Amino acid sequence: GAIVAVLAVAGLASSFMFTLVVPIQSKLPELLDASREDTAWVVTATLLAAAISTPVAGRLGDMYGKRRIVLVLLSLLVVGSVIAALSPGIVGVIVGRALQGAVTGVVPVGISILRDV
């Protein structure tokens, strides 16, 4: 039961990261003092990192252990959140969002862990 709960929370955190900036996307240029083209990368970096990390995380989970990879991905989420929150400019926010997007790889690894259990 605890494994299912932990993996459900990890999956929810992954999903939440995608929808986090969508409601404020139109306000990002004024909030970050950047052009609309530059602030579009805040969402794009998240999606790009997710597209890359999802298949890679599955393979790394098979090679190095699923639990270890889930912990690494959740650590990247925390680091990305801190970077994005403390960054004064657009570049830090984009880097932080990219690290947050990498947590999407937790979904296939979590499904694999559930199958094993």
Side-chain angles (χ1 to χ4, degrees), residues 10-68:
L12 285 172
S14 169
S15 299
F16 182 65
M17 283 300 121
F18 278 110
T19 60
L20 189 63
V21 295
V22 172
I24 63 165
Q25 189 173 4
S26 63
K27 303 250 188 245
L28 286 177
E30 66 185 61
L31 291 173
L32 297 173
D33 193 30
S35 69
R36 194 166 293 283
E37 293 81 20
D38 291 341
T39 58
W41 278 100
V42 172
V43 175
T44 304
T46 308
L47 296 173
L48 187 61
I52 293 169
S53 74
T54 301
V56 171
R59 179 68 178 143
L60 290 175
D62 291 339
M63 291 171 56
Y64 299 109
K66 296 170 183 111
R67 180 175 183 253
R68 180 180 296 165

Side-chain angles (χ1 to χ4, degrees), residues 30-117:
E30 66 185 61
L31 291 173
L32 297 173
D33 193 30
S35 69
R36 194 166 293 283
E37 293 81 20
D38 291 341
T39 58
W41 278 100
V42 172
V43 175
T44 304
T46 308
L47 296 173
L48 187 61
I52 293 169
S53 74
T54 301
V56 171
R59 179 68 178 143
L60 290 175
D62 291 339
M63 291 171 56
Y64 299 109
K66 296 170 183 111
R67 180 175 183 253
R68 180 180 296 165
I69 298 303
V70 167
L71 292 174
V72 167
L73 290 172
L74 292 175
S75 299
L76 286 176
L77 172 67
V78 171
V79 170
S81 297
V82 169
I83 290 172
L86 299 178
S87 175
I90 185 79
V91 174
V93 174
I94 292 171
V95 169
R97 290 292 296 164
L99 290 173
Q100 289 174 343
V103 78
T104 306
V106 83
V107 173
V109 178
I111 291 170
S112 179
I113 291 171
L114 288 175
R115 183 188 50 138
D116 291 346
V117 172

